[in-house]
Amino acid sequence: MSDTTRDPAIDLECRELTKYFGNFCAVDNISFSIPAGSFFSILGPSGCGKTTLLRMLAGFQEPTSGELSIKGRSMLGVPPNKRPVNMVFQHLALFPMMTVGENIAYGLECQGVDKALILQKVQSVLERVGLPDAINKKPDQLSGGQKQRIAIARCLVLEPDVLLLDEPLGALDLKLREHMKVELKQLQNQFNTTFIYITHDQSEALVMSDQVAVMNNGKFEQVGTPQELYYSPQTDFVAAFVGENNRWRASVRGAEGAVLELELPNGMTFKGTAARKEAFGAGDLVDVFVRPEAIMLSKTQVDTATFDNVLEGQVDCLLFDGANSRVLVKESNGNHEVNVTLPQTGEFNDLQEGQTIYLGWQQAQAKCFPARDFSVEE
Amino acid sequence: MTGHNHFRLGLVLLMAPLLIWLLSLIFIPHIDMLFLSLSEKVAPRVYETGLSNYAAFFNEPLYWNTFARTAVMSILATFLTLLIGFPVSYYIAKMVRGRVRAFLFIMCMIPFWVSELVRTFGWMILLRETGVISSFLVFTGLSEGPVELLYNDVTIMVGLVYTSMLFMVVPLVTTLDSLDDSLVEAGYDLGGNGLRVLRKVIIPHAMPGIVSGCIVVFMLSLGNYLTPVLLGGKDSMWFTEQIYTQFITRFNWEQGAAFGFLLLILSSLIVWGGLKITRQTLSNTMG
């Protein structure tokens, strides 16, 4: 595979990849490259084009235009059975009439591997995914998590350059899903294969990935590490889609570099920061995003010296959900509501509705984007 | 206790029409046929119990030759129907969607809205010496004189396959429809070519449909009377024709009943053998 002048550490590269279905543009001029051995996620709401993108990588759909190469070799016109990629399907697609061993052996048989070697490889991969005794079982005798591991083993035994995963955790229940996230990440480390994982579940993407691309309307909004997406979203869509956020429409009263003086329609004023290097002037409308977990909650007056923005309000509603509990706080003079994470340090366990509470947050935590109407539906 | 009895009574009443139907139309006639086949005519109106009707079958080569020929031709017809029906069914079940699909399915069914007799006459109009195809060949100069396309084995086969097609396509479409597309895609994705995916993924999944379609088509061909007789003529040598001759022409009901029973045993044996070879059970094919 030395027929390329490009960086050999790049496993997969797309340039200006576009796919139209009739007049509908499912994938719109996407370019990206994925380094070898990394876990790359494509995160987006349903209908954003991520499945189409994945199916183009697998070879089930041909791009309308653009270039797609794996390890420097162009994949245009190469049928799925000739590509060095394998796919874990959404519902796994284990062959129900074959045993686990036959399922895993299928791909090796296609490659014409010697029978004795097949058995050896099947056994070794089953051991690596922790199911050494499953070889003679039928897929319907396995639990959800075990099926998952077999579906991955069936692909990894072929030592593909890239493994594609199409929301394979979607069908599992919550507890198992949490467990499989960790396990998938471990498998990826262990096999050191490039994983491309598509999902609409941000937690899956954030936990497992080295790099995440947030996709919307056929385009990549932002590509970055999970931390970059969470701490410094570059578009309002990413700010709204990744993690939770309070989203307020405000007008700019004054700007001092990136720091903005903002006013809400009810007259409340506070400070925020322009998320990108855009200049705002007085009178501009902005969307402000403040994470519920970035707001400090206090029973006593918050010190204005430590926080740029302070607010006094009443507890309007308690949304108890264990570690994810929230408090809806209503501002004292005005109807503005703020969604705040309830710290589980014990201090707020006796919080009552109607109780007066103090909030504080830094201006850097209030990220401002030019006002735009859009919705984030999953 | 009484509740249980009520339930039993309700069940019996609900089952009654079916039971009466089975008993009066299937079971009783067959018992009668069995006795009939076991009685020998020793003098006018004098009968004895014996196996001579069955012995006649084995002693007369014409009978068992016809019998064997019918079986072989029916198996061949079944196989051809499967060969033609499978791609058709796959196309209807997997390649097309919505209206086109309904349209194609109806196109398969439309010929069955007219009676088998009319359909077979349709074939005769096309194939006879003065028929459409023969005239066309003469008209275009491809043939010097009229060609007789009726009354040979190929024509019988064409007729049988045509008559049976729907009964193969319906079960195949149903089973292929339940095949998850992602299984086929996975078959390709893991490196399989079209033939391997067909052999390893599609056919194993479609096996119950294939077997049930084959059973129905085989039974229909074996027991078919009109098609072989009309398209094959006097020499069609179809076993049902022998049975008809015994009952109607020869008025030898005893012999006809014995032939009927032999046909029943033959078809059961072949179906059983087919199930054994394909490792299917009747319950999972029909279920």
Side-chain angles (χ1 to χ4, degrees):
Chain A
M1 286 286 152
S2 54
D3 56 347
T4 171
T5 51
R6 250 174 260 120
D7 187 355
I10 296 296
D11 254 357
L12 185 141
E13 190 175 12
C14 293
R15 267 180 296 138
E16 291 159 12
L17 206 64
T18 302
K19 176 72 183 177
Y20 275 93
F21 292 109
N23 282 326
F24 174 71
C25 185
V27 173
D28 189 1
N29 205 11
I30 283 182
S31 302
F32 64 99
S33 59
I34 300 174
S38 64
F39 198 121
F40 187 90
S41 289
I42 300 167
L43 172 67
S46 50
C48 72
K50 57 189 191 299
T51 301
T52 307
L53 178 58
L54 197 76
R55 290 176 64 81
M56 283 197 284
L57 302 183
F60 296 122
Q61 251 142 19
E62 278 297 308
T64 311
S65 66
E67 171 61 37
L68 163 61
S69 61
I70 294 170
K71 285 235 155 95
R73 199 157 65 91
S74 172
M75 283 296 127
L76 294 183
V78 179
N81 53 351
K82 298 271 179 357
R83 291 191 184 197
V85 297
N86 290 115
M87 181 153 160
V88 178
F89 288 81
Q90 190 163 15
H91 301 291
L92 306 179
L94 292 173
F95 303 128
M97 48 279 173
M98 299 184 198
T99 63
V100 165
E102 286 165 343
N103 261 290
I104 297 174
Y106 175 89
L108 295 168
E109 282 165 14
C110 294
Q111 292 179 349
V113 179
D114 184 57
K115 270 218 156 39
L117 190 59
I118 288 181
L119 187 67
Q120 202 183 319
K121 282 193 171 194
V122 168
Q123 269 161 350
S124 110
V125 81
L126 279 173
E127 265 162 42
R128 288 177 80 176
V129 298
L131 290 166
D133 303 323
I135 191 161
N136 287 320
K137 287 188 181 161
K138 283 279 172 81
D140 56 14
Q141 291 172 289
L142 302 175
S143 70
Q146 290 172 330
K147 278 186 203 162
Q148 195 88 54
R149 282 187 255 168
I150 297 303
I152 293 165
R154 184 174 75 169
C155 292
L156 289 180
V157 76
L158 302 174
E159 293 162 21
D161 289 338
V162 179
L163 182 69
L164 309 171
L165 299 105
D166 182 7
E167 303 197 42
L169 302 188
L172 303 181
D173 60 61
L174 187 69
K175 272 267 190 291
L176 190 55
R177 199 155 63 217
E178 293 301 318
H179 176 74
M180 285 308 295
K181 276 184 209 167
V182 182
E183 202 165 290
L184 261 179
K185 182 70 190 159
Q186 282 168 346
L187 278 173
Q188 195 257 335
N189 273 332
Q190 192 192 346
F191 283 86
N192 201 25
T193 307
T194 306
F195 277 36
I196 300 182
Y197 187 95
I198 71 166
T199 181
H200 64 269
D201 182 314
Q202 43 165 310
S203 154
E204 288 174 15
L206 297 182
V207 169
M208 295 189 281
S209 316
D210 299 317
Q211 290 266 304
V212 182
V214 179
M215 195 171 178
N216 185 34
N217 285 334
K219 285 193 171 86
F220 278 179
E221 293 268 338
Q222 185 177 353
V223 184
T225 62
Q227 288 84 349
E228 282 168 2
L229 295 178
Y230 182 82
Y231 293 125
S232 42
Q234 290 303 299
T235 70
D236 46 2
F237 180 84
V238 175
F241 192 72
V242 179
E244 288 288 322
N245 250 319
N246 287 291
R247 180 174 160 197
W248 305 323
R249 179 67 53 91
S251 61
V252 179
R253 292 176 69 201
E256 212 176 294
V259 180
L260 306 175
E261 191 77 36
L262 302 162
E263 182 178 351
L264 290 175
N266 65 0
M268 184 182 129
T269 60
F270 63 101
K271 282 179 180 157
T273 311
R276 290 178 299 213
K277 290 187 172 44
E278 282 156 319
F280 290 99
D284 285 349
L285 281 179
V286 291
D287 278 331
V288 189
F289 293 87
V290 188
R291 295 205 184 275
E293 55 270 36
I295 300 174
M296 150 87 176
L297 201 63
S298 170
K299 285 182 172 173
T300 54
Q301 193 84 41
V302 180
D303 188 3
T304 42
T306 45
F307 287 100
D308 302 312
N309 301 301
V310 292
L311 188 72
E312 183 188 329
Q314 274 78 43
V315 176
D316 189 41
C317 187
L318 275 168
L319 306 165
F320 184 77
D321 182 19
N324 298 320
S325 300
R326 295 293 165 77
V327 200
L328 283 180
V329 178
K330 200 174 241 174
E331 190 206 350
S332 292
N333 40 3
N335 279 326
H336 189 64
E337 273 199 342
V338 185
N339 188 346
V340 187
T341 300
L342 185 67
Q344 291 296 337
T345 46
E347 193 188 341
F348 299 100
N349 292 4
D350 58 348
L351 212 60
Q352 297 294 320
E353 288 184 10
Q355 193 175 336
T356 300
I357 199 99
Y358 300 92
L359 308 176
W361 68 91
Q362 302 289 10
Q363 65 186 27
Q365 301 291 353
K367 298 190 170 57
C368 303
F369 295 91
R372 183 167 77 98
D373 287 311
F374 68 95
S375 66
V376 182
E377 69 269 8
E378 293 218 4
Chain B
M1 199 59 193
T2 44
H4 184 69
N5 280 343
H6 273 298
F7 173 72
R8 287 289 298 272
L9 184 66
L11 186 72
V12 168
L13 283 175
L14 281 170
M15 294 276 285
L18 178 72
L19 289 174
I20 291 168
W21 182 72
L22 280 174
L23 204 69
S24 60
L25 289 169
I26 312 275
F27 195 67
I28 295 175
H30 271 86
I31 297 286
D32 192 48
M33 284 267 282
L34 182 65
F35 285 129
L36 206 57
S37 74
L38 289 171
S39 54
E40 306 168 3
K41 200 176 195 173
V42 286
R45 294 171 192 261
V46 182
Y47 295 94
E48 271 176 20
T49 304
L51 288 167
S52 73
N53 292 319
Y54 291 91
F57 170 80
F58 292 101
N59 293 330
E60 172 56 61
L62 175 73
Y63 292 156
W64 52 261
N65 276 342
T66 313
F67 196 97
R69 179 183 139 85
T70 309
V72 170
M73 291 274 282
S74 297
I75 291 171
L76 191 62
T78 307
F79 184 70
L80 285 175
T81 313
L82 176 64
L83 220 58
I84 299 168
F86 197 87
V88 172
S89 312
Y90 191 81
Y91 189 79
I92 293 176
K94 289 283 153 208
M95 316 286 267
V96 290
R97 292 271 169 270
R99 302 187 79 160
V100 184
R101 185 185 161 148
F103 173 75
L104 288 176
F105 209 48
I106 291 202
M107 288 301 280
C108 283
M109 238 171 332
I110 277 180
F112 292 81
W113 291 0
V114 295
S115 83
E116 191 187 355
L117 191 64
V118 177
R119 264 181 285 139
T120 312
F121 273 125
W123 278 109
M124 293 180 78
I125 289 167
L126 285 179
L127 297 174
R128 67 184 172 188
E129 210 171 348
T130 54
V132 176
I133 294 176
S134 175
S135 308
F136 178 77
L137 289 176
V138 174
F139 175 76
T140 53
L142 286 167
S143 161
E144 298 198 345
V147 197
E148 179 60 274
L149 294 165
L150 283 175
Y151 315 129
N152 60 56
D153 286 358
V154 178
T155 312
I156 297 181
M157 201 51 83
V158 169
L160 285 176
V161 169
Y162 174 74
T163 307
S164 318
M165 193 53 78
L166 181 73
F167 303 96
M168 186 62 89
V169 168
V170 169
L172 280 180
V173 167
T174 314
T175 46
L176 286 173
D177 202 28
S178 68
L179 173 66
D180 189 353
D181 286 343
S182 66
L183 287 180
V184 178
E185 286 180 347
Y188 281 111
D189 184 68
L190 294 165
N193 53 22
L195 193 68
R196 188 183 292 268
V197 174
L198 181 71
R199 210 160 48 84
K200 289 279 196 172
V201 181
I202 300 173
I203 289 182
H205 178 90
M207 211 54 197
I210 293 174
V211 172
S212 69
C214 283
I215 290 176
V216 173
V217 169
F218 175 73
M219 296 289 209
L220 283 175
S221 300
L222 200 68
N224 201 328
Y225 176 76
L226 271 175
T227 307
V229 169
L230 289 180
L231 297 181
K234 282 208 174 85
D235 302 326
S236 64
M237 302 249 295
W238 210 255
F239 199 66
T240 45
E241 201 187 339
Q242 296 282 359
I243 299 176
Y244 179 87
T245 310
Q246 294 300 338
F247 272 103
I248 307 296
T249 318
R250 309 268 289 272
F251 218 68
N252 189 350
W253 280 47
E254 294 74 27
Q255 189 65 59
F259 283 179
F261 258 88
L262 284 165
L263 190 65
L264 180 68
I265 293 163
L266 170 79
S267 57
S268 308
L269 274 177
I270 293 177
V271 168
W272 178 81
L275 287 172
K276 278 277 162 260
I277 290 169
T278 54
R279 297 207 196 91
Q280 297 284 314
T281 60
L282 205 58
S283 55
N284 80 27
T285 348
M286 297 300 172

